[in-house]
Amino acid sequence: MDESELHNQLLSNLSDDYDKTTGYLPSDLLKSISIVLAGLYAKLDSVEQLIDVDNLTGEKLEQFIEQRTGITKTKATNSVGVITVNGNGQINIGDLFETKGGIQFQAIETKLITTTGTVNIEASQSGSVGNVPANQIVQIPVTISGITSIKNPAATHDGFDAETDDSLRDRYYLALKTPATSGNQYHYLQWAKSIAGVGDAKVFPLEQGDNTVEVVIIDQNKQPASTSLVASVQEYIDPNSAGLGSEVAPIGCFCYVTAAIALSINVQVSVTKSAGYTDADVLTNVQASITAYLKEVAFKSTYVSYAKLGEAILNSVGVEDYSGLTVNSQTDNVNIADKEVAILGGVTIV
């Protein structure tokens, strides 16, 4: 209740033998009390909000969950990659390279280059911004003696954004609804999802024989996990699948962490464009819309819905209508195996 409501309630509980008109002593005294009570009610409401995890965000959410479960939000990671270096000189740890757009990377090893060589690099800024396509890292902002040119032959990878509040809250509910005890399935699931960059995981008991567990993971972008991300999860749960209990997995349990198998979804469709949109615009928007749908069903559904793909195309900006949709050369749902994750292979607009 606000101040006015409290004042009226206090006055209603006062005998009519008193003059309760505004400006007289009874009304003024109760007005003062209502001001104090309104402040207390506001604090009480604030406290009630803080005990409901669905109302919390940011640091308050992190604190609430960590205090009750020990679960912490995963941090952003820096993307990594390799550059080809031409020239005759030495690359030192910390030497900078960048894209034309100004995304910087630094060498994470010292290496002597004779004519040509490769150097491992890491993005200077954490998060997905560091994931750049091949042949984009071509500039040397600070001249390095003897080095004439650089280029990344492959895309950089494994730059993941910090975990979102929604993701952290989902893991909190997962811990409550699926108690992890004594190395049960839920324990492996929670262990895998606690590693930065892991978007989801599946657990397969006894998959490779007695006393074995296979954990299949996808990354934060709902793509098959990279070799390095698989290695990070493996190291945390059971290094080298040795079953020694040296990390979180119990003694005698051999855990094998693998990446999900990519199931390419190739789409062909004819579209009617909305006015003002180019073919390139429509293609980009359809690709984005289908990708968003595939992320939603990753490790959640056993099939890619033909109807939902059609809906994704129709809802793409710049698409007025569509016809002749085929998905992997058929006009039906596409089944997803247990260890597969559906990813966009290509979109052809005819």
Side-chain angles (χ1 to χ4, degrees):
M1 290 187 289
D2 61 22
E3 179 187 315
S4 177
E5 291 171 325
L6 285 165
H7 187 220
N8 290 333
Q9 187 179 75
L10 289 170
L11 287 173
S12 68
N13 283 284
L14 184 65
S15 171
D16 290 336
D17 292 339
Y18 298 94
D19 189 341
K20 295 183 278 188
T21 306
T22 300
Y24 284 83
L25 185 60
S27 177
D28 289 349
L29 286 173
L30 295 178
K31 181 71 171 179
S32 299
I33 295 172
S34 68
I35 292 172
V36 174
L37 289 176
L40 293 175
Y41 267 99
K43 288 183 179 180
L44 180 60
D45 183 62
S46 177
V47 170
E48 289 179 344
Q49 293 291 317
L50 291 176
I51 62 175
D52 186 344
V53 69
D54 289 334
N55 295 325
L56 303 180
T57 59
E59 291 183 2
K60 282 184 169 41
L61 175 66
E62 293 180 51
Q63 185 181 52
F64 181 98
I65 292 176
E66 184 175 4
Q67 287 176 344
R68 288 160 177 79
T69 63
I71 295 172
T72 59
K73 178 179 284 190
T74 59
K75 308 301 181 185
T77 61
N78 297 65
S79 68
V80 294
V82 176
I83 56 170
T84 299
V85 182
N86 299 310
N88 294 282
Q90 181 166 297
I91 301 295
N92 295 306
I93 293 175
D95 284 345
L96 294 176
F97 314 97
E98 67 181 22
T99 66
K100 290 181 179 179
I103 301 173
Q104 288 197 332
F105 296 79
Q106 58 187 3
I108 55 176
E109 63 176 336
T110 295
K111 203 165 190 180
L112 183 64
I113 303 298
T114 304
T115 306
T116 188
T118 60
V119 175
N120 291 312
I121 58 171
E122 179 182 83
S124 299
Q125 181 180 347
S126 61
S128 58
V129 66
N131 298 326
V132 301
N135 304 318
Q136 298 299 304
I137 308 171
V138 295
Q139 298 184 161
I140 307 173
V142 179
T143 300
I144 302 173
S145 178
I147 303 303
T148 57
S149 66
I150 60 143
K151 184 181 291 185
N152 60 310
T156 56
H157 57 89
D158 284 1
F160 299 109
D161 296 324
E163 186 174 21
T164 64
D165 285 351
D166 285 342
S167 174
L168 178 61
R169 193 179 290 109
D170 287 344
R171 287 203 293 133
Y172 169 73
Y173 280 127
L174 177 67
L176 296 183
K177 296 176 181 178
T178 56
T181 57
S182 305
N184 64 358
Q185 290 188 47
Y186 303 131
H187 231 153
Y188 283 89
L189 182 62
Q190 291 182 27
W191 288 333
K193 294 180 73 171
S194 70
I195 301 299
V198 174
D200 209 343
K202 287 184 177 180
V203 179
F204 298 89
L206 308 179
E207 189 71 3
Q208 300 193 34
D210 291 343
N211 301 321
T212 68
V213 176
E214 184 173 348
V215 179
V216 181
I217 62 173
I218 54 177
D219 68 19
Q220 194 179 75
N221 300 314
K222 305 305 173 67
Q223 300 283 308
S226 68
T227 301
S228 57
L229 184 56
V230 168
S232 294
V233 178
Q234 183 73 67
E235 185 69 19
Y236 177 64
I237 298 177
D238 179 23
N240 301 313
S241 304
L244 298 177
S246 58
E247 290 299 330
V248 293
I251 294 173
C253 186
F254 303 90
C255 178
Y256 298 87
V257 180
T258 62
I261 301 166
L263 172 64
S264 291
I265 300 299
N266 297 292
V267 173
Q268 182 171 301
V269 66
S270 177
V271 301
T272 302
K273 299 192 300 291
S274 301
Y277 290 91
T278 66
D279 290 345
D281 291 335
V282 170
L283 177 60
T284 298
N285 294 338
V286 168
Q287 288 172 331
S289 187
I290 292 175
T291 298
Y293 163 66
L294 294 179
K295 285 183 176 181
E296 289 178 6
V297 301
F299 271 25
K300 305 296 182 189
S301 176
T302 59
Y303 65 94
V304 174
S305 167
Y306 178 83
K308 288 289 186 180
L309 282 174
E311 182 181 7
I313 294 168
L314 189 59
N315 289 336
S316 301
V317 176
V319 173
E320 196 71 31
D321 204 350
Y322 77 92
S323 62
L325 171 63
T326 62
V327 184
N328 289 2
S329 301
Q330 62 186 37
T331 56
D332 201 354
N333 298 336
V334 178
N335 292 327
I336 307 172
D338 284 344
K339 298 180 184 179
E340 290 182 332
V341 61
I343 65 171
L344 181 60
V347 175
T348 302
I349 295 179
V350 295

